[in-house]
Amino acid sequence: MLLYSFLKFILKVALRVFFRRFEVHGREKLRNTKGPLLLVSNHPNTFMDPLIAATLMPQRLAFIANGSIFTKFTRPFFKFFHVIPVYRQKDTSDVPLSPAELNKMTFKRCYDYLKAKGSILIFPEGTSEIERRLRGIKTGTARIALGAEYENNFQLGITILPIGLNYSDPTHFRSEVFVNVGEPISVSDFKEKYNPDSFETVEELTQLIQQRLAETVIITEDEEEDTLVRQVETLYKNQLFDDLHLNDNVKKDEYELIKQLVSAVRYFEKHHPEQLKSLQVKMTNYLENLQKLHLSDEIFTQTRRLYSHLGTTLLKLIVGFPFYTWGLFTNYVPYISPSKIANLISSDVTYRAPIMMTVGIIAFPVFYGLDIWAMQTAFQNSWLTLAFAVSLPLTGYFVLWYWDKVTRLSHLWQALRLFRQKPTLMESLTTERTKIFNLLEEAKTIYLKREFAQ
């Protein structure tokens, strides 16, 4: 238990470093819900998802995972961390039993774990996909919950708690994640309905889990709809924050706003498809042109102050350059090695983030340790070594901040160059942007009138 607590602390630190923003809505439900507990979550980011869930819970979690990852080499490791395998017909195992026989043992282990007031994390979709979707969930969660309660005369008090994991970009370092905790389900509410010889109650509970989980995540129907919603986010989200008096520093507000954008897109898909298609074409062309020109849309909100922004940004970069150079020198190897190693280990983008974070957990302490040892060996001054040790993570963060400013400067410089050399092109982009915003404003007015009319 001590090792688990230590590793959880390390993971908490690593997650706060890996993600630029890490926000949890409904944290009190996690703290107040003790075992027996079935924690259910969507599964967009392979091994990153259980790591996040484990750091959120005050109690130790057991995990249900695909049996195909269990081999004679990995089994002892997974057993130590209370990972329980579940097998599909196509899965193979180093144990000479059928998947059905193995899953009977899995269910029994879950029953025993819940009877002991344990907490189990389940991904009821069964597979992991990087997308804003919630696939149809399997019945296993409901069967485990109802089966465990039935074996104990519905005296366990099992709770099913849904959590939604919403990533801004699941594969990239310094992206954002919003954890949305849903409304709990009390399995004892199904006591009178449950009949072990009937599947009806299992299906009813499964549908309720699907509904509660869907309330915690952003769901788009397909890739085309998701692309359209993201385009509106890119261009219009900040304007909506101002118009609707929302706080762009609160991920819950952003989550609710994007939910409304999805709802609005579906409304226009049904009632005004031609207007939506016209808007989509214009946004796609505009954003593709910006990408080709190495510009950001933010530039067009600052056209009257471009020189002022350029001067301010350039001054910050000049003053900060010595600190950037030092931070880059001391942090480059541990910073770059996680992405390089992740690319060597797997070409599957779904595994990129967890591999990068795992390698980073090892790389930064090792390289920082070597740097600190070298400093102490060279100067034999404990205070100097301490100051150097403190500076390592601080200058590392400064490098990230500095590089963001460099990117902004490049966009500013490119915009000013194009305004001077190709004013007709920039005027055309400005005009196209104005047309898009007029269409977005018109669409917002139509949608809000529809909302008020209901």
Side-chain angles (χ1 to χ4, degrees), residues 245-422:
H245 307 291
L246 299 174
N247 187 345
D248 60 354
N249 290 319
V250 177
K251 290 295 290 182
K252 175 63 175 175
D253 283 359
E254 182 178 346
Y255 167 82
E256 295 293 351
L257 177 60
I258 297 172
K259 278 266 193 179
Q260 281 298 312
L261 287 179
V262 174
S263 177
V265 166
R266 289 179 185 166
Y267 170 78
F268 278 89
E269 284 174 343
K270 182 177 181 180
H271 297 283
H272 304 279
E274 292 183 2
Q275 183 178 349
L276 184 66
K277 188 64 179 177
S278 174
L279 175 61
Q280 183 179 14
V281 170
K282 289 182 183 299
M283 288 194 299
T284 299
N285 291 338
Y286 171 72
L287 290 171
E288 286 180 353
N289 286 331
L290 291 186
Q291 186 176 16
K292 291 176 183 176
L293 295 168
H294 305 290
L295 295 174
S296 69
D297 180 67
E298 184 184 9
I299 293 298
F300 294 94
T301 66
Q302 304 170 345
T303 51
R304 296 181 181 178
R305 297 177 293 149
L306 284 180
Y307 283 102
S308 174
H309 280 291
L310 180 67
T312 303
T313 304
L314 189 59
L315 179 62
K316 290 178 180 177
L317 293 179
I318 292 172
V319 172
F321 184 73
F323 301 98
Y324 167 75
T325 305
W326 177 248
L328 188 64
F329 175 74
T330 55
N331 286 271
Y332 182 77
V333 174
Y335 175 78
I336 202 67
S337 55
S339 60
K340 297 294 185 182
I341 293 174
N343 290 335
L344 289 173
I345 292 176
S346 176
S347 59
D348 190 340
V349 69
T350 61
Y351 290 94
R352 180 178 174 82
I355 293 174
M356 284 177 61
M357 193 180 74
T358 303
V359 174
I361 290 174
I362 300 170
F364 275 94
V366 168
F367 280 96
Y368 280 3
L370 290 173
D371 286 343
I372 293 168
W373 172 79
M375 175 64 74
Q376 178 63 22
T377 302
F379 294 97
Q380 297 293 316
N381 186 315
S382 298
W383 287 108
L384 180 61
T385 302
L386 178 61
F388 173 70
V390 172
S391 76
L392 289 173
L394 295 179
T395 54
Y397 272 112
F398 184 81
V399 168
L400 296 175
W401 174 88
Y402 191 93
W403 191 249
D404 180 66
K405 294 298 180 185
V406 170
T407 304
R408 288 174 180 269
L409 179 67
S410 68
H411 289 158
L412 286 167
W413 183 260
Q414 174 72 341
L416 287 169
R417 187 181 70 82
L418 290 173
F419 271 120
R420 287 196 313 271
Q421 297 179 2
K422 299 183 179 181

